[in-house]
Amino acid sequence: VVPLGDKLVIKRIEPQQTTSGGIVLPDEAQQKPQQGRVLSVGDGMLLPNGTRAAHMVHEGDRVVFGSYAGTEVSVDDETLLILCANDVLAIVR
């Protein structure tokens, strides 16, 4: 999947299956993870002068985003998230 403009394609990091105390969580009790790995980035936002702004996020970065950010898409039986670069809250180093 090749994103356009200032969009990013992200694969969510798998949610925790158990609590720190060892209790197994059912699927309904697990929260959607708000972290993921950037798979691909678009060309950047188009500026008024016709150039493109470079992304601050790069392929392979681990990022944090809002719980309702982006749009989920299914590609080859894999669920991916497409979101704007502005929806990224932080890069995890």
Side-chain angles (χ1 to χ4, degrees), residues 3-74:
L4 302 175
D6 67 336
K7 305 292 189 277
L8 308 169
V9 176
I10 295 177
K11 179 166 176 62
R12 287 186 194 265
I13 294 175
E14 294 298 319
Q16 274 191 319
Q17 303 290 331
T18 59
T19 65
S20 57
I23 299 172
V24 177
L25 296 171
D27 289 339
E28 296 81 29
Q30 295 174 11
Q31 295 180 357
K32 278 189 176 180
Q34 292 177 282
Q35 292 187 25
R37 187 76 56 190
V38 178
L39 299 180
S40 59
V41 297
D43 296 332
M45 183 171 42
L46 187 62
L47 300 174
N49 65 4
T51 62
R52 296 217 177 249
H55 281 285
M56 293 177 66
V57 177
H58 304 287
E59 291 181 14
D61 285 348
R62 184 174 168 188
V63 295
V64 177
F65 46 87
S67 56
Y68 297 105
T71 303
E72 285 190 351
V73 294
S74 182

